[in-house]
Amino acid sequence: MIGWRGAIPPDWVDYNGHLRDAFYLLIFSYAVDGLMDEIGLDARSRERTGLTLFTLEAHINYLHEVKLGAAVEARIQIMAMDRKRLQLYLTLHPEGEAQVMAASEQMLLQVNLEGPKSAAFTPQTKEALERITAVQQDWPAPEYAGRKIAL
């Protein structure tokens, strides 16, 4: 599933003409926003229910240079889920291409902002997540998932 598409603007690049490391996470964050819209956690729903997703952990692998003006897209694969958490694998690609320029494994938690405290997915959100995972069940295992930083 594609969660975000766009071109790299000038204020996202560094002195080398490359996408700054922080903006990879911003792109992946925008992709998660797209997923939230798809599973019923859009802005209107968040306002009505107080339910949203918080990122608990994120790991990014920077694999290839992304330069000014590059047209890119972030894709999302749901690796696992339980009653209130999602383990996601996000990849950044040149638009319409298979090459992976960056990968991020993330753990998200549904939160009720009235607490704030963790909250189980509603039946509607759970059903939407299950529909997505059913489509993705034959996708290859994420190449950079489960890695740790070590020398």
Side-chain angles (χ1 to χ4, degrees), residues 23-44:
F23 288 99
Y24 286 83
L25 187 56
L26 179 66
I27 290 169
F28 290 139
S29 182
Y30 286 154
V32 170
D33 290 349
L35 173 66
M36 290 175 67
D37 289 348
E38 188 152 328
I39 64 174
L41 292 175
D42 54 71
R44 215 165 85 194

Side-chain angles (χ1 to χ4, degrees), residues 40-41 44-52 112-114 122:
L41 292 175
R44 215 165 85 194
S45 172
R46 289 190 305 270
E47 186 176 309
R48 188 179 79 256
T49 66
L51 297 174
T52 190
N112 184 329
L113 294 173
E114 290 179 15
T122 65

Side-chain angles (χ1 to χ4, degrees), residues 87-129:
Q87 182 181 3
L88 302 179
Y89 186 68
L90 299 101
T91 50
L92 185 65
H93 305 261
E95 192 171 343
E97 296 183 26
Q99 178 188 28
V100 179
M101 302 178 85
S104 178
E105 183 177 2
Q106 299 186 9
M107 181 69 68
L108 287 81
L109 174 71
Q110 180 165 268
V111 171
N112 184 329
L113 294 173
E114 290 179 15
K117 62 181 179 179
S118 65
F121 294 122
T122 65
Q124 297 81 7
T125 298
K126 185 175 185 272
E127 184 180 305
L129 288 165

Side-chain angles (χ1 to χ4, degrees), residues 129-149:
L129 288 165
E130 288 170 346
R131 276 195 309 273
I132 294 168
T133 56
V135 169
Q136 297 178 347
Q137 69 183 355
D138 294 329
W139 287 17
E143 183 177 359
Y144 294 94
R147 295 177 61 147
K148 64 179 185 176
I149 297 174

